[in-house]
């Protein structure tokens, strides 16, 4: 199972970006998918998660600005980021809880990370 993230870049304060993360490989199903971020010198933190039914949770710092969504047919999760702030600057990682076979539990898989830089 591989996760390929894309969509990061440089944007000005108040701008928008959309991240995508596609899962590929052989597996039975994907449960929760999510986005995490790690700023320089800080620990990785949760940004948002979404389950297979579409229910989402957000960190307080991004509520009202970021929207997570997923396309189950494409095994892809998205993060629409609006009203970006310099403090949103970080490497963003996607994560998926994957059930490789129906009789197995889920394993966590991480994408390679995509850099988001918000300039003031």
């Amino acid at each position: 199972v591989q996760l390929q993230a894309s969509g990061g870049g440089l944007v000005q304060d108040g701008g928008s970006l959309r991240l995508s993360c596609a899962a590929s490989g052989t597996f039975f199903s994907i449960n929760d998918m999510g986005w995490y971020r790690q700023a320089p010198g800080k620990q990785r933190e949760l940004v948002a998660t979404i389950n297979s039914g579409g229910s989402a949770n957000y960190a307080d710092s991004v509520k009202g600005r970021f929207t997570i969504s997923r396309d189950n047919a494409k095994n892809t999760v998205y993060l629409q980021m609006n009203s970006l702030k310099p403090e949103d600057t970080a490497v963003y990682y996607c994560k998926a809880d994957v059930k490789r076979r129906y009789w197995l539990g889920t394993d966590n898989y991480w994408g390679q990370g995509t850099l988001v830089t918000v300039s003031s």
Side-chain angles (χ1 to χ4, degrees):
V1 178
Q2 290 187 329
L3 298 183
Q4 182 66 46
S6 61
L10 174 64
V11 65
Q12 290 188 333
D13 191 354
S16 298
L17 281 175
R18 188 190 194 211
L19 306 182
S20 300
C21 176
S24 62
T26 302
F27 48 86
F28 177 72
S29 66
I30 301 176
N31 293 356
D32 290 0
M33 302 185 82
W35 290 95
Y36 294 72
R37 67 186 182 187
Q38 187 166 18
K42 295 187 177 181
Q43 290 187 331
R44 190 173 298 187
E45 63 176 4
L46 181 147
V47 175
T49 61
I50 185 168
N51 65 18
S52 57
S55 294
N57 289 293
Y58 297 91
D60 288 343
S61 59
V62 306
K63 282 181 181 176
R65 300 188 298 121
F66 291 9
T67 302
I68 190 170
S69 61
R70 64 189 282 175
D71 184 333
N72 291 331
K74 295 181 178 179
N75 297 315
T76 300
V77 62
Y78 306 97
L79 186 68
Q80 178 65 45
M81 304 184 293
N82 298 328
S83 302
L84 282 161
K85 306 174 182 180
E87 51 263 44
D88 294 317
T89 295
V91 177
Y92 284 70
Y93 298 90
C94 57
K95 183 174 81 76
D97 298 337
V98 179
K99 183 182 284 284
R100 289 182 290 116
R101 299 291 185 270
Y102 73 91
W103 63 86
L104 296 174
T106 58
D107 294 313
N108 293 334
Y109 290 87
W110 291 87
Q112 82 284 9
T114 184
L115 178 62
V116 172
T117 303
V118 184
S119 63
S120 57

